[in-house]
Amino acid sequence: MIDKINMTEEEIKLNYITPSITDKWSMSCIRMEFLVAPGRIMLDGKKAKRKDASRADYVLFYKDTSTWFPLAVVEAKDNTHSPFGGMPQAIRYAKAMKAPFAFSSNGDSFVFHDMETGVEIKDIALDAFPSPDELWSRYRADNTDFTDSEASLLTTPYHYQKGFSKEPRYYQWIAINRVLAAIARGDKRMLIVLATGTGKTMVAFQIIWRLLQAKKVRRVLFLADRDILVSQPFSDDFSPLGSRMTRISKREMDTTHEVYLSLYHQMKNGEENFYTAYDRDFFDLIIVDECHRGSADEESSWHEILEYFDSAIQVGMTATPKETEETSNIEYFGEPVYTYSLKQGIDDGFLAPYKVIRVNLDIDVNGFRPYPGMLDINGEPVEDRLYEQKDFDRILVVEERTKAVAKRVSDFLKETDRYAKAIIFCEDIPHAERMRHALVNENSDLVAEEPTYIVQITSGSDDMRYLEYFTDPHEKYPVIAVTSRLLSTGVNTQTTKLVVLDRTIGSMTEFKQIVGRGTRVREDCDKLYFTIMDFRKNYVKFADPEFDGDPVKIKDVGETDDFGDDDADTMDNGGEPDSSDDSFENGDGDNGNDGSGDDSGNGDESGRKKRKRYTVNGVTVRIIDEKVEYLDANGNLITVSIIDYSRNNLRRLYPYYEEFRKVWLAQKKKQELLNQLLADGVFIDYVKETIPEAHVDEYDVLSYIGYEKEPLTKEERIDHILVSGYLDKFSKENQDIIRLLLEAYREHDIDELKNIRILNMPEFIHIDKPTEIVRSFGGKENYTNTINEIEQQIYSA
């Protein structure tokens, strides 16, 4: 056997660490190379790259892995490190997974770290690694309030069926275990906050499964407000329940199943209380999906259902707990037992990052005042006043403004991908109708090929039948969905790459839900990031601490939510919010009204006065400003110039050009350095797109960003070598090979040039076999030295 000091990390694990662990632990309790997180997706220009995945060398589970009760994380390093070498990583993974213990080893001994007490013990012999019972006893000793009932429930196996679905992620298991622990302690109300796209229905299913397996509950009600929130779980995540599960429909009472899925209005519609057909104690557990949409509002008719079954354990799930003067999820369900935020999801790489394009139209910035005597399209005088952005498409419809938005959206898709799924959020149904019409005219060529290229998905629209196709990742059409509020929440739009905001969003709850339409990652569909195009200055909400902060109960403070869009009593049977509480009272929300309003000014049946809506045309509208913003490493939008931001970060790392150049030349694989620079906030590809002569090396881009060096093109660097006389020392045959290598560099990066596999390209094979080419340079070592010389020559220009 080779000396331990010369072994790789994998050899240390194979020969020393794994035998030490398996001597005490069954293989059914061990997971090796456990994926904690896939790695943050870094967005640069039009490219997206992942950081390396986070994988724990060993995760040790109590009883077996089917319980998902992780006791310890073990990290290994090769023998050139001390036994402490892997401890920072082990602690980081243990903290993320809520494992109570962390270990590190280099093959000589173990170091132990107790996450609860902070105690650390070194020099644990390889044959003294603790057994499962020893760690379990220590955990119980550290947590004296951890009851036998809690232990029993938390070690109940979860559902696993090969081929059924992907294994739950670490944060999903934390959420599941937090709920089970609370139930074991006797809690009756719980709230889980999981960012949109992080798999709430998977969490709900595993909670239900484990409670049924443990015989803690007999019957369960899964309650939602939209059909898609019931139909998707029924056919997907909940499907292993099979005949144990049913949907409540046609208001017929059924008592023969264990799990019931229902919409609110199927249990209560108006004054009809269908839920009273069941005994008050019929359900032991109720899970409320998207609970921010009214279930916790004391004035909501839906609230009556929860009050009726008040003896049941009730779990609320949402990405955005609603906390307003009228409604408080926290007041009803309690403080969240677990929160996994959008920022955490993006950091881990489970959620897609985004860039924001802020588009300012002159009419929005400067306002619009009608000229004296101006008439609308119906020949009615337009009220003389200054109309501002908030008025457009509510009080004043400017047809050219709609066309300008439709053109910019269409131009963006033409510049990127015309088949990228996009959602356009409009002020109301009439606005959505106008926007769809304008988009059709901007994309008539593709609409002629397939009429469903653009559809209007609003309540009552004929195109509603295409919603299922739009959300299906494998369906090409529809591509563009125009809506008002229907797609803002609860719809799993996995492949959405563009979210357009041409609607003023007053509610932070709804804003976060709308952003969530794009956060899902689908690498198999080339969906790694998405773009938000904002025409209504909603981007200011990204800077609000409430956007990705911890939910805070504010009901008693009296802060008012701007819109009632999430209010339960404004929902029709399709789950579409009504706009009847809009201050302009046009009756034009997604409730199927025509938006014409009452022009008499006499008001509606409630006695509130309606405002007249005008439609005008012949107004010149143009884009006067546009800015692209990216997320930084802390999850905040960069508001300064991307070039300035990148320059500052590069100079922070390498204050002087000579220092940067030295690091660049010493780096064997340039892509590794480029990836690290991107992670540190240097947006190379974005800046490269701004250089007029884009055919430049990344070295020149960085020199230009950080040190204001005029970039040389690749052609100029190649010409420098050809006229320098460097090739004279080589044979004619080798000169021909080097010229081909330089031509390859013209089209590829420097790492490709240095990779010996480049000799498999057709132009080289045409000359000779790769092995013969290498031999002509005097062997592999001489060939490698020559390539390194060429690299130095390239950057000596």
Side-chain angles (χ1 to χ4, degrees):
M1 181 182 292
I2 61 175
D3 291 340
K4 185 186 292 187
I5 195 67
N6 294 321
M7 288 184 177
T8 65
E9 181 180 305
E10 291 303 311
E11 290 169 331
I12 291 291
K13 288 162 61 177
L14 176 65
N15 291 291
Y16 296 99
I17 300 177
T18 300
S20 298
I21 296 174
T22 55
D23 185 50
K24 305 284 182 65
W25 292 71
S26 165
M27 287 303 298
S28 65
C29 298
I30 304 171
R31 293 289 299 274
M32 300 177 66
E33 291 298 312
F34 182 83
L35 179 66
V36 181
R40 183 187 177 102
I41 298 168
M42 300 175 292
L43 178 58
D44 185 6
K46 298 174 183 176
K47 298 180 181 178
K49 306 166 187 174
R50 273 200 188 275
K51 293 179 67 175
D52 291 339
S54 297
R55 292 185 180 275
D57 288 332
Y58 305 84
V59 181
L60 310 182
F61 294 84
Y62 184 62
K63 288 194 173 181
D64 61 62
T65 58
S66 69
T67 64
W68 218 93
F69 193 95
L71 271 178
V73 173
V74 183
E75 279 301 304
K77 292 296 180 184
D78 64 40
N79 204 243
T80 62
H81 293 78
S82 79
F84 291 92
M87 186 54 73
Q89 201 170 356
I91 290 175
R92 187 167 70 251
Y93 293 156
K95 181 179 179 181
M97 292 188 288
K98 309 303 179 188
F101 308 116
F103 291 85
S104 173
S105 178
N106 66 346
D108 289 338
S109 64
F110 287 98
V111 178
F112 165 81
H113 185 95
D114 189 321
M115 299 292 293
E116 183 73 23
T117 66
V119 171
E120 199 162 277
I121 303 172
K122 65 178 181 177
D123 298 329
I124 298 174
L126 293 180
D127 60 0
F129 190 83
S131 67
D133 288 338
E134 288 175 308
L135 287 185
W136 180 252
S137 296
R138 180 158 187 142
Y139 176 74
R140 294 298 299 268
D142 287 347
N143 297 270
T144 55
D145 58 344
F146 187 71
T147 65
D148 290 339
S149 173
E150 192 172 341
S152 175
L153 195 52
L154 286 175
T155 55
T156 300
Y158 67 87
H159 176 269
Y160 176 74
Q161 176 183 330
K162 189 174 182 179
F164 161 63
S165 65
K166 295 179 180 178
E167 184 178 40
R169 300 161 177 170
Y170 81 88
Y171 63 83
Q172 293 172 325
W173 281 124
I174 295 171
I176 294 163
N177 285 349
R178 289 285 177 86
V179 170
L180 296 182
I183 291 172
R185 292 192 298 268
D187 293 349
K188 303 286 285 187
R189 303 287 181 270
M190 281 141 279
L191 178 65
I192 306 171
V193 179
L194 298 174
T196 300
T198 54
K200 290 188 290 294
T201 52
M202 167 69 80
V203 170
F205 165 68
Q206 291 290 357
I207 289 171
I208 293 168
W209 181 271
R210 294 177 81 178
L211 289 172
L212 289 174
Q213 293 298 100
K215 302 189 184 306
K216 186 72 175 179
V217 301
R218 297 166 302 153
R219 288 184 288 267
V220 180
L221 173 63
F222 182 82
L223 199 57
D225 71 317
R226 291 189 176 186
D227 183 73
I228 197 167
L229 294 178
V230 171
S231 58
Q232 283 183 344
F234 190 86
S235 60
D236 190 3
D237 286 330
F238 284 24
S239 62
L241 291 164
S243 60
R244 302 167 70 181
M245 168 182 61
T246 187
R247 286 192 61 173
I248 295 177
S249 61
K250 299 181 181 179
R251 305 183 179 95
E252 296 175 357
M253 190 176 78
D254 181 349
T255 61
T256 61
H257 294 82
E258 295 174 90
V259 179
Y260 297 75
L261 291 82
S262 178
L263 300 175
Y264 286 104
H265 66 264
Q266 289 173 330
M267 304 196 78
K268 177 177 178 61
N269 197 343
E271 298 301 318
E272 298 182 88
N273 298 331
F274 301 106
Y275 59 86
T276 58
Y278 296 91
D279 292 337
R280 294 179 68 98
D281 62 354
F282 183 79
F283 296 110
D284 304 304
L285 170 68
I286 298 176
I287 296 182
V288 184
D289 194 14
E290 304 290 358
C291 66
H292 66 280
R293 294 177 63 79
S295 62
D297 185 350
E298 293 176 4
E299 302 302 320
S300 167
S301 60
W302 300 349
H303 192 73
E304 296 176 21
I305 301 172
L306 301 183
E307 287 183 328
Y308 181 79
F309 297 114
D310 63 351
S311 64
I313 299 164
Q314 296 180 8
V315 181
M317 300 194 310
T318 181
T320 53
K322 189 172 184 183
E323 303 302 316
T324 71
E325 184 177 359
E326 295 82 16
T327 305
S328 172
N329 291 120
I330 291 176
E331 181 172 277
Y332 184 81
F333 290 104
E335 293 288 338
V337 295
Y338 183 63
T339 297
Y340 187 76
S341 68
L342 174 64
K343 181 179 183 299
Q344 289 174 284
I346 292 175
D347 283 346
D348 283 340
F350 290 117
L351 295 181
Y354 51 87
K355 64 180 178 181
V356 178
I357 301 178
R358 298 162 40 176
V359 184
N360 288 320
L361 302 174
D362 57 352
I363 195 173
D364 292 350
V365 173
N366 303 321
F368 173 77
R369 185 172 182 179
Y371 56 79
M374 187 175 189
L375 305 179
D376 71 1
I377 60 172
N378 296 315
E380 295 290 329
V382 179
E383 181 185 352
D384 183 19
R385 50 164 287 195
L386 181 66
Y387 295 90
E388 299 175 332
Q389 186 181 63
K390 62 183 175 61
D391 300 324
F392 297 129
D393 297 297
R394 288 173 172 263
I395 298 174
L396 182 70
V397 174
V398 179
E399 293 185 344
E400 286 77 12
R401 187 190 180 284
T402 305
K403 293 176 182 178
V405 172
K407 184 177 188 309
R408 182 64 192 98
V409 171
S410 301
D411 287 346
F412 175 82
L413 291 173
K414 290 171 184 176
E415 294 162 6
T416 53
D417 177 6
R418 296 189 76 184
Y419 290 94
K421 297 272 182 165
I423 305 176
I424 322 294
F425 288 95
C426 300
E427 289 286 1
D428 50 39
I429 287 179
H431 184 199
E433 291 172 346
R434 295 191 300 274
M435 184 62 68
R436 178 200 161 275
H437 175 69
L439 286 164
V440 165
N441 286 331
E442 289 290 337
N443 298 275
S444 57
D445 55 336
L446 295 187
V447 174
E449 293 178 11
E450 174 50 61
T452 62
Y453 175 77
I454 301 169
V455 295
Q456 177 187 329
I457 300 181
T458 53
S459 182
S461 167
D462 288 342
D463 287 347
M464 269 292 293
R465 63 186 185 274
Y466 296 116
L467 176 59
E468 181 179 350
Y469 295 102
F470 181 74
T471 58
D472 187 337
H474 305 294
E475 290 288 342
K476 185 175 181 179
Y477 300 104
V479 174
I480 301 175
V482 187
T483 189
S484 173
R485 291 165 173 81
L486 187 61
L487 298 182
S488 64
T489 183
V491 180
N492 189 1
T493 53
Q494 300 179 39
T495 54
T496 300
K497 293 184 178 182
L498 176 63
V499 175
V500 178
L501 306 179
D502 194 27
R503 168 160 102 75
T504 302
I505 304 166
S507 162
M508 178 62 80
T509 297
E510 189 179 15
F511 179 69
K512 290 161 73 172
Q513 288 283 344
I514 287 175
V515 171
R517 296 314 97 203
T519 55
R520 289 169 174 84
V521 175
R522 282 298 299 258
E523 296 192 56
D524 58 327
C525 300
D526 192 31
K527 163 68 187 302
L528 286 170
Y529 73 95
F530 69 107
T531 301
I532 300 170
M533 185 175 287
D534 185 13
F535 291 87
R536 299 273 181 164
K537 297 184 180 177
N538 295 292
Y539 55 80
V540 297
K541 288 184 169 58
F542 286 113
D544 190 325
E546 188 185 346
F547 174 67
D548 201 40
D550 294 327
V552 178
K553 177 186 167 193
I554 62 171
K555 182 176 179 181
D556 296 334
V557 177
E559 186 174 323
T560 303
D561 206 0
D562 293 347
F563 289 81
D565 297 340
D566 298 314
D567 198 66
D569 293 325
T570 68
M571 306 293 290
D572 63 40
N573 287 349
E576 186 74 352
D578 187 309
S579 291
S580 59
D581 57 351
D582 191 320
S583 59
F584 300 117
E585 280 306 310
N586 285 311
D588 54 8
D590 281 14
N591 57 3
N593 293 341
D594 62 9
S596 59
D598 180 358
D599 290 346
S600 67
N602 294 326
D604 60 9
E605 293 179 0
S606 66
R608 290 180 294 188
K609 185 178 180 180
K610 292 184 178 180
R611 297 198 65 160
K612 180 176 290 188
R613 172 179 289 175
Y614 305 98
T615 299
V616 299
N617 56 24
V619 179
T620 301
V621 178
R622 62 187 180 89
I623 296 172
I624 60 172
D625 179 52
E626 187 171 301
K627 185 174 183 180
V628 181
E629 296 180 344
Y630 289 79
L631 290 177
D632 65 14
N634 296 315
N636 301 316
L637 280 173
I638 302 165
T639 56
V640 299
S641 158
I642 300 297
I643 294 179
D644 289 343
Y645 180 83
S646 299
R647 176 181 296 115
N648 293 338
N649 285 325
L650 184 57
R651 286 184 173 178
R652 173 175 53 83
L653 295 168
Y654 310 111
Y656 304 105
Y657 171 71
E658 292 75 16
E659 185 180 358
F660 158 70
R661 176 177 169 80
K662 182 178 179 180
V663 170
W664 177 268
L665 293 176
Q667 183 74 32
K668 290 183 179 180
K669 292 185 178 180
K670 301 296 189 285
Q671 191 58 51
E672 293 179 357
L673 177 60
L674 294 173
N675 289 343
Q676 186 56 53
L677 289 173
L678 177 56
D680 288 326
V682 182
F683 293 88
I684 305 163
D685 285 333
Y686 175 87
V687 177
K688 191 173 184 177
E689 293 172 7
T690 69
I691 298 175
E693 178 49 75
H695 203 55
V696 296
D697 193 292
E698 279 77 5
Y699 170 82
D700 286 281
V701 179
L702 291 166
S703 299
Y704 170 76
I705 293 173
Y707 314 100
E708 300 176 356
K709 300 288 184 181
E710 192 67 26
L712 297 177
T713 65
K714 285 187 174 182
E715 287 78 7
E716 288 172 323
R717 293 194 174 277
I718 292 170
D719 289 343
H720 168 74
I721 294 178
L722 295 178
V723 301
S724 68
Y726 170 73
L727 269 60
D728 294 344
K729 65 178 182 178
F730 296 98
S731 68
K732 175 149 185 335
E733 292 76 10
N734 285 351
Q735 287 183 24
D736 291 341
I737 296 295
I738 293 173
R739 286 191 176 92
L740 285 176
L741 288 169
L742 293 174
E743 283 301 312
Y745 164 70
R746 190 191 304 271
E747 301 300 326
H748 304 282
D749 59 39
I750 193 69
D751 284 348
E752 289 293 317
L753 175 68
K754 296 171 66 177
N755 194 323
I756 200 167
R757 287 178 301 183
I758 199 171
L759 299 180
N760 289 313
M761 292 174 62
E763 47 266 51
F764 293 99
I765 293 293
H766 180 71
I767 295 176
D768 212 336
K769 296 178 180 178
T771 53
E772 294 303 318
I773 292 175
V774 170
R775 186 176 290 114
S776 72
F777 280 88
K780 186 174 181 180
E781 183 177 350
N782 284 344
Y783 175 81
T784 301
N785 290 337
T786 300
I787 296 299
N788 290 335
E789 278 186 8
I790 293 172
E791 179 188 9
Q792 296 295 320
Q793 290 291 320
I794 286 174
Y795 295 119
S796 69

